[in-house]
Amino acid sequence: MSRGPAGRATAGRAPAGPRSAHVTAAVALALTLVVLILAAALAPLAGATRAPEGTASPSPTPVAVDDGVPADVVEWFTTQTGPVLATEGAGELDELTAEERGRVVPGTVRPVMGWAPGVLDGTDLEPPALATRQWVAPLLLGEEPVGSLFVAADPDGAGPVLDHIDAAADLAAALAELDPAASLVYDAPLDAWFAVSDAVVRPVGEAAGEVLAGAVALETYQPFLAERYAAGDDPAQDHAPPVEGGGWGPVAVVAAVLVLVLAWAALVVWLRRPDPAAGEPAPDPARHPRDPRVRR
């Protein structure tokens, strides 16, 4: 309460004290932390969709496809190869300049296959391999293979997503020269690649070449396959390279929002608690009249 010009008590605003300064500082600190957390969480997502400064957005690249490649996968390689190489390619294809990455195009897109269960247990050699939920294309700078681009089906059914970029030149060169009629098979225990056509197995890349020197009949090679998988892998599993996924960006965004809500709730609770420095509020005569028995 304060005294007006006529000497009557009038309601007035209490002067700002230390508590007001503390509240202002707490609010500013909370907002700063939230902004920093959201910026850190959204940075990877922004980088995945925006090309670096100084580089033009690559145009869609028509691609050749093998049999069995879905239309949405073809569209992904056609429209997303350029943007992905402009962002993710900066780390994986670090020997190329930004201008060179802008000229890289995908070669023939083909499905990644896995050995069929009948081949692994020796009961049936036809078909030799079954399609997995991955696709791959060599990356070409002019006629030079510079890497391989792997795409996988999204586990949530949202469509194809980037799996990873492989910078191994030997694998890229082998993929670029592979017969379109051959099945490209990933051998999980060896982490190697093979091509199968007309019941003949051929090595693809250096890792496979260390195990198989040249072409061999599938019937001859089958016992070695069965022994290797029985020793180190479950034949019932899908033997495609593991999907790496899209990173932790969405999880970080959810975590940042949760932190924002918790911080705001804590601030509200803190503001509602009584201020010890203010002491007990003075009684209001209008709400608490004096006892008439008490002499004034």
Side-chain angles (χ1 to χ4, degrees):
M1 305 293 289
S2 61
R3 296 288 177 177
R8 294 177 300 175
T10 59
R13 182 172 299 177
R19 180 180 177 84
S20 299
H22 292 164
V23 170
T24 303
V27 172
L29 178 59
L31 292 178
T32 301
L33 290 176
V34 169
V35 171
L36 291 177
I37 292 173
L38 289 176
L42 295 175
L45 300 180
T49 57
R50 184 175 63 250
E53 294 184 5
T55 61
S57 298
S59 302
T61 304
V63 297
V65 296
D66 199 359
D67 293 337
V69 180
D72 58 347
V73 175
V74 177
E75 181 181 5
W76 193 99
F77 275 95
T78 301
T79 61
Q80 299 302 313
T81 296
V84 163
L85 293 181
T87 54
E88 302 291 338
E92 301 298 333
L93 304 176
D94 53 2
E95 294 184 358
L96 302 181
T97 65
E99 187 274 333
E100 289 174 329
R101 291 198 310 274
R103 293 190 286 111
V104 170
V105 297
T108 301
V109 181
R110 61 177 69 243
V112 173
M113 314 287 282
W115 296 114
V119 172
L120 296 178
D121 60 22
T123 59
D124 192 359
L125 300 184
E126 186 63 35
L130 299 177
T132 69
R133 293 167 59 81
Q134 276 193 329
W135 300 267
V136 62
L139 295 173
L140 309 174
L141 178 58
E143 297 183 357
E144 178 186 1
V146 295
S148 304
L149 181 59
F150 288 82
V151 168
D154 190 292
D156 298 329
V161 295
L162 171 67
D163 183 10
H164 68 283
I165 300 173
D166 192 326
D170 63 299
L171 176 60
L175 290 179
E177 299 173 359
L178 191 61
D179 182 356
S183 298
L184 177 66
V185 183
Y186 177 70
D187 191 296
L190 290 180
D191 190 21
W193 299 85
F194 295 88
V196 183
S197 61
D198 299 326
V200 175
V201 182
R202 296 176 175 82
V204 177
E206 295 179 359
E210 295 177 357
V211 177
L212 189 62
V216 64
L218 177 60
E219 184 178 8
T220 302
Y221 192 60
Q222 187 276 331
F224 298 95
L225 271 176
E227 179 181 1
R228 185 162 65 244
Y229 272 76
D233 229 338
D234 180 2
Q237 292 179 354
D238 180 7
H239 297 296
V243 176
E244 295 185 355
W248 58 275
V251 177
V253 173
V254 174
V257 173
L258 181 59
V259 170
L260 171 60
V261 172
L262 292 177
W264 185 255
L267 183 59
V268 170
V269 172
W270 187 83
L271 289 174
R272 284 171 171 263
R273 70 187 182 92
D275 186 359
E280 292 294 331
D284 188 349
R287 299 177 63 90
H288 301 281
R290 290 189 179 184
D291 191 333
R293 294 172 298 175
V294 178
R295 188 181 299 275
R296 295 175 180 266

